[in-house]
Amino acid sequence: MGKPSIFSKEYERRKKKRRKRIAFLVLLVIISTFSLLYWSPVSKFFTNSQLYKELQAKYKDSEKNQNPPSNEQNNNLSGNKDAKNEEENNTKKSEEKYFEIKLPDGTNARAVYEQDDSSIKFKYLTGNDKTSFDISPSGKKMIILDGTTQDLIELSIDNSIKDLTYKVYTTRNKSKIYKDKKLSQNPQFQWHSSPKYVSEETIAYVSQMPWFKTEKYVWLVDSTAGNHRYVKNIKGSEIKFGNLTNKGLEVIIDGETIIIDSEGKTV
């Protein structure tokens, strides 16, 4: 039989048949190869070998370490986090409510307060490391000691200021000792120190008055009338105030603790 013409239908039929045979043979080779790899004893031996396990472990490590973040990326992430924290802190500071007050020595401080729908109370004093302060039981008043001049001022929640400084001490023989002059002569002298509320209207402080020696005494000032008086029978080389309790104010005298009320009586 002669070869069919390339223009005949028989030629096209044989060409398609030959392509199918080739495709079938390729598929058969692929199936045989996979069968050999996955089901043959050789395959099982290889997958159970130490070499295979080592290669597999190295592959997993390479996958894990692929494209690690660069130092620049880490720095950017850290920088973004720091910037976010700084922004949050700045926002918090900007939301704080405070009174800007001028102290007797000419410097400023901030009396920070909190306010809700029903009340407003002082929280703390900031912005001046030469001051000390205490807040009244109601939170409506703050006593401030200017550490430079040793002046006492009371700030109320309406932003009004009252000067409670004991400016002149009058002795029994009617001679006068002026605070500013005494401190200029002896800057280490304690005229007022460590103010602390005993009650809403009474403030205690430590002083070397009235005998002007090394021993210290407890004084009380009535914030309404502005009267100062020292508490008799309480003196010591070191006097500190503790907590304000239901009974009164803790006073620590040379290591021993007593409690006084707003009248200065020991309870």
Side-chain angles (χ1 to χ4, degrees):
M1 180 182 293
K3 293 183 179 180
S5 173
I6 61 173
F7 299 105
S8 67
K9 292 182 179 181
E10 181 65 20
Y11 178 82
E12 289 294 330
R13 186 179 65 80
R14 290 184 180 183
K15 188 177 180 181
K16 289 181 181 180
K17 190 175 182 180
R18 186 167 55 250
R19 287 175 181 173
K20 288 181 180 180
R21 287 198 190 103
I22 294 172
F24 176 75
L25 290 173
V26 171
L27 180 60
L28 184 62
V29 171
I30 293 173
I31 293 173
S32 300
T33 303
F34 273 93
S35 298
L36 179 63
L37 288 176
Y38 286 94
W39 287 291
S40 69
V42 176
S43 174
K44 291 182 180 180
F45 173 78
F46 176 71
T47 54
N48 291 329
S49 67
Q50 184 64 29
L51 176 61
Y52 175 79
K53 293 178 181 178
E54 291 178 0
L55 291 174
Q56 189 179 42
K58 289 182 179 180
Y59 175 77
K60 289 182 179 179
D61 289 340
S62 65
E63 285 289 313
K64 188 182 297 183
N65 296 326
Q66 188 176 5
N67 298 325
S70 64
N71 291 333
E72 183 177 356
Q73 289 174 327
N74 286 331
N75 292 336
N76 289 338
L77 290 173
S78 177
N80 292 338
K81 185 176 180 181
D82 293 340
K84 183 178 179 180
N85 291 337
E86 184 177 356
E87 183 179 354
E88 290 177 353
N89 290 334
N90 290 336
T91 301
K92 184 176 180 181
K93 288 181 180 179
S94 65
E95 292 174 353
E96 281 187 340
K97 297 180 180 180
Y98 59 86
F99 296 128
E100 187 87 21
I101 60 173
K102 184 174 287 293
L103 299 172
D105 68 350
T107 61
N108 294 331
R110 291 180 176 182
V112 180
Y113 62 90
E114 59 184 357
Q115 185 176 12
D116 56 30
D117 295 337
S118 60
S119 66
I120 175 171
K121 295 181 179 181
F122 283 117
K123 294 176 63 179
Y124 55 86
L125 186 75
T126 187
N128 197 310
D129 58 2
K130 294 182 179 180
T131 61
S132 59
F133 72 95
D134 190 41
I135 297 173
S136 69
S138 69
K140 304 293 185 182
K141 296 189 289 186
M142 178 187 291
I143 186 68
I144 303 170
L145 172 67
D146 186 326
T148 302
T149 65
Q150 292 194 36
D151 284 4
L152 278 177
I153 60 173
E154 185 178 57
L155 176 66
S156 295
I157 203 66
D158 61 0
N159 200 22
S160 62
I161 295 177
K162 182 183 293 185
D163 188 355
L164 296 179
T165 306
Y166 196 21
K167 298 182 183 296
V168 183
Y169 176 77
T170 303
T171 65
R172 290 181 178 179
N173 59 10
K174 305 301 179 182
S175 63
K176 297 182 181 298
I177 300 176
Y178 293 88
K179 176 184 75 70
D180 291 343
K181 184 176 180 180
K182 181 66 179 178
L183 292 178
S184 65
Q185 295 170 346
N186 181 11
Q188 303 303 317
F189 185 84
Q190 289 187 13
W191 192 277
H192 301 129
S193 67
S194 308
K196 188 84 173 179
Y197 279 95
V198 186
S199 67
E200 193 67 22
E201 306 298 335
T202 305
I203 302 159
Y205 62 90
V206 178
S207 177
Q208 288 177 259
M209 296 183 289
W211 306 114
F212 296 88
K213 297 180 181 180
T214 57
E215 288 183 320
K216 300 176 179 64
Y217 302 85
V218 175
W219 283 69
L220 300 176
V221 54
D222 184 331
S223 63
T224 301
N227 298 325
H228 293 250
R229 60 188 178 90
Y230 89 97
V231 180
K232 296 179 180 180
N233 301 323
I234 297 181
K235 65 179 180 179
S237 299
E238 183 179 22
I239 297 179
K240 296 180 180 179
F241 296 132
N243 297 321
L244 181 61
T245 69
N246 293 332
K247 293 182 178 180
L249 178 64
E250 293 177 341
V251 183
I252 306 165
I253 308 162
D254 296 331
E256 296 185 7
T257 302
I258 64 171
I259 296 178
I260 62 171
D261 60 15
S262 59
E263 298 296 325
K265 297 178 182 179
T266 303
V267 297

